[in-house]
Amino acid sequence: MDTETATGRPTAPVVPLFGPKRATTFRLALPPLPKVGTGNYYALGAITLFLAVFGLVMVLSASSVEQGQDLGNPYFDFGKQAMAEGLGVAAMLLVSRLKPRLLVLAAPWAFGAAVVLQLLTVLTPLGTTVNGNRNWIRIAGTSVQPSEFVKLGLVLVLGAFFARKKAERLGVAGLAPVLLPSGLAIGSVLLGKDLGTSLIIGGIVFAGLFFAGVRVPVLALFGGTAGALFVIMALTRGSRVDRLAAWSGGGCAGDVLGTCWQSQQATWALANGGLFGVGVGNSVSKWFWLPEADNDFILAIIGEETGLVGLVVLLALFVALTVVCLRISSGTPDRFTRAVTGMTLAWLVGQAFANIAVVLGIAPVFGVPLPFISSGGSSMIANLLAVGCVMAVANQAPPAQPGAVPAPDHPSMRRRR
């Protein structure tokens, strides 16, 4: 039977799909978009994804020659990196939707599991040694680098501590819950003779203390002690002493084919790139001239193939990452957000600039990959997970309201005391 509308016009009869009294409606419920007051959440994700995709392209270019020669498959490293990147991006998006309290609860478990894996790597036959560093363990036929996940676990553990304690009121004794896990993390990595990763972990701890508002004398004491210990460690191994001597200018005169080979080839690759580069895929140095071309020294291949312009764009992306992280950290009174964001910033951007300094010859050679760019599945997944944690706290942390009275631990209130 026809019905009429308010205007008197007849409408078509309503016929239920499954009979007059059993109409069924199907609805597809999708997760709501993140409720973010600013664009920091999306900006951080976009910058990270751009870096990861760019790195994947450069890994393919830098590794194809050696993989084709050694394994007969020029896409072997590229395939592994693509799988790790896909897994890492999925994990990043998943973690970015978690509540910060879940990250706090998971922190000790994540840190404990990573340290146990690192100790199994250095103390049992399960670990493998590459280039003198015992940093990899095989799990289900796949090599994993636990030290990358030790960084992530430490960031969460220290962030959880600073969320409970007002660090600016703590002395050295009160920071024992910070120094104990930090010493365990650095010590377990040093057992594998990886000084570069230990330096990055030390930078993470220092950044945590700084962003948590620890007093300057305590910061100075920690920084001085850590610096002295790392100098001692650097001088206890012959290869490290040789690299320091080469970097200082006294060891390369008669050792161009030895200690200085890698640095010299990186310099020539950058010089060959010029302003606009020789084109992606056209590097000469990757033809067995530059060791670790797809890993620690991939920046030299980027400079050769994309030139100074490509390097400036890459540097600008890391600067943009720094700006977004600082906006997240300074835009909220939440201590957990400030600490986690600050330590992640020190980890990713600090490690990036350390890698750049090594390739440019500004710093001595020590093995740290370029975040999001260098080949390495463990590093890629850990880096993306760290960004996911920052996105999570940026999504949930209460923003600082204009004209509102800041929390007692907010930096502006500390300056008024």
Side-chain angles (χ1 to χ4, degrees), residues 145-213:
Q145 190 174 2
S147 59
E148 293 295 329
F149 299 98
V150 169
K151 300 175 188 175
L152 177 60
L154 185 63
V155 166
L156 295 178
V157 163
L158 298 188
F161 171 77
F162 291 131
R164 297 189 305 267
K165 301 290 184 180
K166 295 181 178 180
E168 67 272 15
R169 298 181 181 179
L170 297 176
V172 176
L175 291 175
V178 172
L179 301 180
L180 290 177
S182 302
L184 181 60
I186 294 174
S188 63
V189 173
L190 282 177
L191 286 175
K193 301 179 181 179
D194 189 350
L195 184 61
T197 301
S198 301
L199 284 169
I200 300 302
I201 294 177
I204 291 173
V205 178
F206 188 86
L209 297 173
F210 176 80
F211 281 92

Side-chain angles (χ1 to χ4, degrees), residues 49-335:
L49 291 177
F50 189 91
L51 282 169
V53 172
F54 178 71
L56 189 62
V57 173
M58 295 312 304
V59 166
L60 173 61
S61 176
S63 65
S64 58
V65 173
E66 291 191 7
Q67 294 299 307
Q69 176 70 24
D70 297 341
L71 303 176
N73 180 9
Y75 304 105
F76 182 76
D77 269 3
F78 170 77
K80 293 197 304 181
Q81 189 75 358
M83 291 179 61
E85 188 168 314
L87 179 62
V89 169
M92 178 188 77
L93 296 177
L94 177 62
V95 170
S96 71
R97 306 305 303 277
L98 297 179
K99 302 291 185 180
R101 60 183 178 81
L102 294 179
L103 297 179
V104 173
L105 293 175
W109 299 99
F111 178 70
V115 170
V116 167
L117 281 179
Q118 179 64 23
L119 292 176
L120 288 176
T121 301
V122 298
L123 299 178
T124 70
L126 297 175
T128 57
T129 302
V130 178
N131 295 331
N133 292 343
R134 194 175 182 85
N135 256 4
W136 288 263
I137 186 172
R138 294 195 67 82
I139 299 176
T142 303
S143 293
V144 178
Q145 190 174 2
S147 59
E148 293 295 329
F149 299 98
V150 169
K151 300 175 188 175
L152 177 60
L154 185 63
V155 166
L156 295 178
V157 163
L158 298 188
F161 171 77
F162 291 131
R164 297 189 305 267
K165 301 290 184 180
K166 295 181 178 180
E168 67 272 15
R169 298 181 181 179
L170 297 176
V172 176
L175 291 175
V178 172
L179 301 180
L180 290 177
S182 302
L184 181 60
I186 294 174
S188 63
V189 173
L190 282 177
L191 286 175
K193 301 179 181 179
D194 189 350
L195 184 61
T197 301
S198 301
L199 284 169
I200 300 302
I201 294 177
I204 291 173
V205 178
F206 188 86
L209 297 173
F210 176 80
F211 281 92
V214 173
R215 292 174 296 177
V216 174
V218 178
L219 280 175
L221 178 62
F222 173 81
T225 303
L229 290 175
F230 283 123
V231 169
I232 293 173
M233 294 299 301
L235 297 177
T236 56
R237 191 173 177 186
S239 59
R240 294 171 187 158
V241 174
D242 292 340
R243 290 197 294 266
L244 285 171
W247 171 70
S248 63
C252 282
D255 195 23
V256 177
L257 300 180
T259 304
C260 296
W261 174 265
Q262 195 173 30
S263 299
Q264 190 66 61
Q265 292 298 324
T267 301
W268 288 343
L270 293 171
N272 188 41
L275 183 60
F276 297 105
V278 298
V280 176
N282 297 325
S283 167
V284 175
S285 300
K286 67 183 180 182
W287 288 82
F288 309 103
W289 291 102
L290 178 63
E292 303 293 338
D294 63 330
N295 197 348
D296 296 349
F297 275 74
I298 195 172
L299 184 76
I301 303 300
I302 295 174
E304 185 178 11
E305 295 188 349
T306 66
L308 179 62
V309 173
L311 293 179
V312 170
V313 170
L314 182 63
L315 185 64
L317 286 171
F318 281 108
V319 171
L321 189 68
T322 303
V323 172
V324 173
C325 287
L326 289 177
R327 286 184 60 183
I328 294 172
S329 178
S330 62
T332 175
D334 183 67
R335 291 196 298 267

